[in-house]
Amino acid sequence: MLTFYEEIMVLLLHDENGTFLPVSEHTLNRALTGAVLMDLAFANRIDTDPERLVVIDSAPTGDALLDRTLARIAGESASADSRTWIETLSAEEASAEQSATIRSTALDKLVERGVLERREEKFLWVFRSRRYPTIDGKVEQEAKKRIADVLFTDEIPDPRDVALICLVDSCNILPTIFSKREIDRVDTRIEQLRKMDLIGREMAGAIADIERAIAIAAAHTF
């Protein structure tokens, strides 16, 4: 089973040419940070409420990226809420060396799994670009099908699928998967799902608040 942060990367890559879909760098960093925290929550390593995010088990998970983040949180003496941790960790993600980012780690793991291939291409014979075309499209199709099955039916969803949808929705990734008409049809369903999972709701709410603050700040600069 893929981690949340691997699933986010699969959903954000264009199927054929392996380029990233048009999501802002701020949104991508926050989406991946939220995904890592969700992975830790589902591994029963952290828990959260509106006031704070806490480590409930500091034992390693076996995933180097998750364990690094877990140690980072466990090593902080002052308590902080989900929003603070998303801001802190996404800022660290933005300033990290390329080889140490969540994005590069996820892509490396997906290549190792045979889901993606890494392809180097020359641009104007000088500059190089890196693309990640899909080899095994079943992984992406399964993730999208799980999201669609939850959104377009009234069945009780799996908690993991609820958390994924909360994260995908908060980062505005749904419009890259479904049409506006389809999304309008499931507005009420999405709202219901947001209330189903505490971790997903806290992460989604924190990311959405940060995105709104950025949009307001940007508007005031003009």
Side-chain angles (χ1 to χ4, degrees), residues 183-200:
I183 294 174
D184 289 344
R185 280 176 49 201
V186 294
D187 271 347
T188 302
R189 177 65 165 168
I190 292 172
E191 186 59 34
Q192 291 174 341
L193 294 173
R194 288 193 191 110
K195 299 175 181 178
M196 283 183 162
D197 181 73
L198 179 59
I199 291 289

Side-chain angles (χ1 to χ4, degrees), residues 26-179:
H26 288 298
T27 298
L28 178 57
N29 286 339
R30 285 168 176 79
L32 292 173
T33 298
V36 167
L37 293 177
M38 283 186 179
D39 279 317
L40 289 172
F42 274 80
N44 296 315
R45 297 303 193 274
I46 64 171
D47 200 358
T48 186
D49 59 36
E51 284 75 40
R52 60 181 186 150
L53 182 152
V54 296
V55 173
I56 56 176
D57 184 354
S58 59
T61 65
D63 181 300
L65 175 60
L66 298 185
D67 291 342
R68 185 178 72 206
T69 305
L70 179 62
R72 170 74 177 84
I73 298 171
E76 183 63 50
S77 57
S79 63
D81 59 14
S82 301
R83 172 175 176 144
T84 300
W85 273 116
I86 289 175
E87 288 180 313
T88 300
L89 295 173
S90 62
E92 292 174 0
E93 169 75 2
S95 62
E97 293 184 8
Q98 181 60 36
S99 60
T101 63
I102 303 171
R103 184 189 323 188
S104 61
T105 301
L107 290 171
D108 287 345
K109 290 182 68 174
L110 289 167
V111 169
E112 290 173 6
R113 289 175 183 267
V115 177
L116 305 176
E117 69 171 317
R118 184 180 288 108
R119 185 181 299 169
E120 300 279 356
E121 296 181 356
K122 284 188 177 181
F123 176 64
L124 297 178
W125 299 280
V126 179
F127 301 105
R128 289 187 177 275
S129 65
R130 181 172 288 175
R131 299 173 185 268
Y132 293 85
T134 302
I135 297 176
D136 183 0
K138 292 180 181 179
V139 173
E140 180 188 15
Q141 292 167 8
E142 181 195 42
K144 289 182 177 179
K145 184 178 184 302
R146 283 165 43 216
I147 292 172
D149 286 346
V150 172
L151 290 181
F152 296 99
T153 72
D154 293 326
E155 295 182 7
I156 298 175
D158 182 274
R160 186 177 179 85
D161 294 340
V162 173
L164 179 62
I165 290 172
C166 286
L167 183 60
V168 168
D169 173 55
S170 68
C171 300
N172 202 32
I173 297 173
L174 285 178
T176 70
I177 303 175
F178 305 109
S179 68

